[in-house]
Amino acid sequence: MRFLRALKATLGFSIVFLAGAHAATTAIDESHLVALPGNTRPEALDLANDRGRVPDTFALPHMIMLLKRTPAHEAAFERAIDQLTDQSSPNYHHWLSASEIGTRFGPSADEVRTVSAWLNAHGFSINTVYPSRVAIDFSGTAGDVRAAFHTEIHKLNVHGQPHIANLSDPRIPAALSPLIEGVVSLHDFHGHQAAHGGPGWTETNCGLGTSDLIPNCYFVTPPDLATIYDLNPLFNKQTTGTGQTIAVVEDSDIYSTDDWTMFRSLFGLSGYTGGSISQMHPGNCTDPGTNGDDFEAILDAEYASAAAPDAAIQVVSCADSKTTWGLTIAVENLVNETSPPPLINVSYIWCEADAGAANDKAYYDAWQQAAAEGVSVFVSSGDEGAAACDYGKTRAANGIAVNGLASTAYNVAVGGTDFGDTYRKENSKYWNSNNSAQYGSALSYVPEIPWNSSCGSELMAKYVTGSKTTYGTNGFCNVAGGSHFITTYAGSGGPSSCAKGSGDTCKGYKKPQWQSVFGNPGDGVRDIPDVSLFSAGPVWGHAYIVCYSDPAHDFNEPCKNFPNGWIYGYGTSFAAPIMTGMQALVDQSAAASQGNPNPTLYSLANSEFGTKGDAACNANRGNKVGKKCVFRDVTTGDMDVPCTSGSADCYLPSGTNGVLSNSSTKYKPAFKAGSGWDFATGLGSIDAANLVAAWPK
């Protein structure tokens, strides 16, 4: 205690940096500061939003300090992770614990103590030093933040909503910069669920809006899912997720687990008696209760269970602190458990640039740690086409961007498709006019196109107007027929570009070696998505069905009298937990957790695509697609969305609405589907039975 009091008084002590067998001693000079760039929200830079500084006594609990590994330790950690999925390595599947990761590759115990002591000296309290040694949970006040990080916390009013945020990038003593990555975070902005819903399963609530265009609606239920994605052969062999645990990480509790039970009962899943559901709040976090995100929580649980009906579903959630998103707290606590769950699903969106450098790095570190622990992580790619920074907007305004929670090399990014039967006028070829006892009507695999509900879709333009032109005065986005489709709802994908704000010049995460596959561009950066599954809203007559009974968000009396009143849902929020469920079937078949699935997925894709793609696996073949294809290669359509005049990456030769493009002077839509890998759907969609059969044992 005498040491800490003296430390707080002088702030002139020495710290020791350990790098292998070498050590260097550097004194902390509080007058010699460096900024941590890329950590100021754009809303905080707009003076019109500023409502003044919060009091110095304003409590800021559960901030997270990110620490750095040395370059040598980071390189060694990456090599170790590569070996974990390399069957020729003696370390294959020799997963590491969080403590082992911290001891072997993290900052030294002395370095962690140094940072902790510096925080204590500035009045902060340490709640948790995570065993990975790259994160410290700490609490303090706005006054402590101002003194330690040389930035003020202000109240903001953004479009009528109250917020708090730091007004400038944090600054720390230069002597600590080799140890400190950043603070997660100093504001209360956070990401969003990748889910959307509508009022009830009735034919009047789906389609393009006119009955002559979409005469029938064929909603997707678990029996349909099992038919379309070839789950039934696995279920028939008792490959149902037995013994597997899927953690769906949420920002809310589930309103009622009875919804999950009713969903399973109605759709023929209750016979799988191994399935279960529970809710947990890991580590030092508090229960968030239920909020608007409980729709996300229940659909994740229901559709993970639809793909792996005998798996244990854990709904994992934490309350937001005043400056840290509850989802971030939950993820950090989950991957640092002694025995983390082998399968994690996250169906949330936070574009790389908006999240900021420290938030992006927090998820990078967490998914990297998960991969080393043998945990497979699946994240929704997003629901805004290539405009991930324009969540909830009708037009793209911020250019091409991707979901920062999904763009690391250590997670599978799951994109979205739609079904192409309506476009082809082939509904009756793929759907029975009557439902089964469990409300299934799909007859076979249904041809897929990229999910795109916007006027930027060439297929939509062609279907409605007879011309595929989407841009210009007479293009679909600028004529009366396209007015219903001014939206950014589309499956997301694109190249990583990382955080661009506050002077940060990050160029995105580097391309992992395993992502070299036919169709993937030589752009040098991580590209998403990796795979895609059906995610669309009912614009083409299809959507998912959800049991959701929260009266605070009651669209019509859901879950009471099926099918009237049950909610339809859409978004890559559905694709991600379904893909997580498919991985549970792989893990059960292999009798082992698999860590990062991407190296294996891309290896299988290289075998299937070769150097020019496999025509037999083209999704356009529908029920005649190759019987041995692991991937259904989506080659027709696009995920392009409308954009506003003067915005980045917008092609607007004339008219009011442009379309998102790789060029502002010519039409280079962002992005089209094509043979092999593409930004619209990644490797395509999955045949689950073939995936399990092809997976290395």
Side-chain angles (χ1 to χ4, degrees), residues 195-552:
H196 314 277
W201 181 6
T202 64
E203 290 191 3
T204 59
N205 287 323
C206 77
L208 288 164
T210 56
S211 59
D212 58 324
L213 290 175
I214 303 294
N216 296 297
C217 300
Y218 300 93
F219 286 100
V220 178
T221 63
D224 296 323
L225 195 74
T227 297
I228 294 166
Y229 291 120
D230 207 18
L231 292 161
N232 285 323
L234 296 169
F235 294 171
N236 292 338
K237 295 177 181 178
Q238 285 72 56
T239 305
T240 54
T242 299
Q244 306 305 309
T245 298
I246 298 173
V248 293
V249 187
E250 310 295 342
D251 196 27
S252 170
D253 288 346
I254 285 176
Y255 173 72
S256 173
T257 56
D258 289 344
D259 291 349
W260 180 85
T261 302
M262 183 176 289
F263 177 88
R264 283 170 58 89
S265 175
L266 192 71
F267 295 125
L269 301 174
S270 56
Y272 298 98
T273 56
S276 64
I277 188 168
S278 61
Q279 301 196 77
M280 65 174 293
H281 315 292
N284 61 3
C285 81
T286 55
D287 186 344
T290 58
N291 52 51
D293 284 354
D294 59 347
F295 178 57
E296 178 68 67
I298 190 60
L299 77 87
D300 286 348
E302 288 175 356
Y303 277 89
S305 190
D310 270 325
I313 309 298
Q314 286 184 344
V315 181
V316 179
S317 60
C318 291
D320 299 343
S321 77
K322 291 180 181 177
T323 60
T324 308
W325 191 15
L327 192 86
T328 306
I329 297 171
V331 164
E332 200 67 58
N333 284 326
L334 198 61
V335 300
N336 278 287
E337 286 192 326
T338 303
S339 299
L343 298 151
I344 291 177
N345 173 82
V346 172
S347 294
Y348 285 79
I349 307 165
W350 202 355
C351 91
E352 285 177 327
D354 280 355
N359 272 303
D360 285 337
K361 190 60 165 61
Y363 282 92
Y364 181 94
D365 286 349
W367 301 154
Q368 184 186 41
Q369 179 176 334
E373 293 168 343
V375 177
S376 302
V377 178
F378 297 83
V379 186
S380 304
S381 69
D383 299 351
E384 299 78 37
C389 291
D390 291 297
Y391 178 88
K393 296 179 181 177
T394 56
R395 301 166 180 84
N398 293 290
I400 295 171
V402 298
N403 180 10
L405 309 186
S407 60
T408 85
Y410 300 103
N411 64 272
V412 177
V414 188
T417 67
D418 204 335
F419 296 130
D421 56 308
T422 298
Y423 176 75
R424 298 163 179 267
K425 298 185 169 76
E426 293 180 338
N427 293 142
S428 62
K429 184 176 179 179
Y430 293 102
W431 304 88
N432 198 320
S433 58
N434 298 310
N435 288 318
S436 69
Q438 287 78 40
Y439 297 94
S441 60
L443 298 172
S444 69
Y445 173 66
V446 184
E448 288 172 282
I449 57 177
W451 168 33
N452 192 345
S453 298
S454 84
C455 64
S457 165
E458 290 184 357
L459 297 183
M460 190 78 71
K462 178 74 172 177
Y463 192 87
V464 177
T465 69
S467 169
K468 70 176 185 179
T469 302
T470 59
Y471 54 87
T473 303
N474 297 316
F476 190 47
C477 286
N478 290 295
V479 298
S483 61
H484 295 293
F485 309 100
I486 306 297
T487 178
T488 57
Y489 284 155
S492 290
S496 171
S497 57
C498 209
K500 298 177 181 176
S502 303
D504 191 12
T505 58
C506 177
K507 295 180 180 179
Y509 297 127
K510 67 180 180 180
K511 187 182 294 295
Q513 186 176 14
W514 44 255
Q515 201 171 30
S516 177
V517 66
F518 174 69
N520 187 259
D523 53 8
V525 297
R526 168 76 163 119
D527 299 313
I528 64 172
D530 297 303
V531 295
S532 296
L533 298 171
F534 175 70
S535 303
V539 67
W540 288 110
H542 305 293
Y544 286 105
I545 298 299
V546 182
C547 180
Y548 175 56
S549 64
D550 185 351

Side-chain angles (χ1 to χ4, degrees), residues 8-178:
K8 191 169 182 178
T10 64
L11 293 175
F13 61 102
S14 296
I15 59 176
V16 178
F17 300 113
L18 301 177
H22 303 285
T25 302
T26 306
I28 292 181
D29 180 355
E30 291 280 338
S31 66
H32 185 197
L33 304 174
V34 295
L36 301 173
N39 291 294
T40 305
R41 292 283 306 191
E43 297 88 347
L45 299 174
D46 186 344
L47 294 178
N49 295 329
D50 196 345
R51 298 297 183 269
R53 198 173 84 190
V54 303
D56 277 353
T57 55
F58 188 83
L60 298 174
H62 293 294
M63 294 172 281
I64 296 176
M65 174 74 80
L66 286 186
L67 304 184
K68 292 180 181 178
R69 298 185 179 92
T70 66
H73 279 165
E74 182 63 30
F77 191 31
E78 290 175 0
R79 287 194 299 271
I81 292 173
D82 289 342
Q83 292 171 1
L84 292 170
T85 55
D86 179 358
Q87 287 187 292
S88 66
S89 169
N91 294 321
Y92 179 68
H93 282 197
H94 288 188
W95 310 118
L96 306 175
S97 69
S99 295
E100 287 177 296
I101 293 168
T103 301
R104 289 178 56 185
F105 307 109
S108 70
D110 284 341
E111 289 168 333
V112 173
R113 281 192 290 269
T114 294
V115 175
S116 298
W118 180 78
L119 289 170
N120 286 148
H122 277 285
F124 297 107
S125 59
I126 307 299
N127 304 314
T128 304
V129 175
Y130 289 106
S132 64
R133 294 188 184 174
V134 292
I136 299 173
D137 182 311
F138 69 105
S139 300
T141 66
D144 297 332
V145 166
R146 183 163 56 87
F149 299 111
H150 306 276
T151 184
E152 295 180 354
I153 307 297
H154 279 225
K155 293 177 284 187
L156 305 179
N157 186 291
V158 182
H159 305 302
Q161 297 297 315
H163 286 279
I164 61 167
N166 53 302
L167 291 193
S168 59
D169 285 334
R171 290 182 293 160
I172 59 171
L176 289 175
S177 63

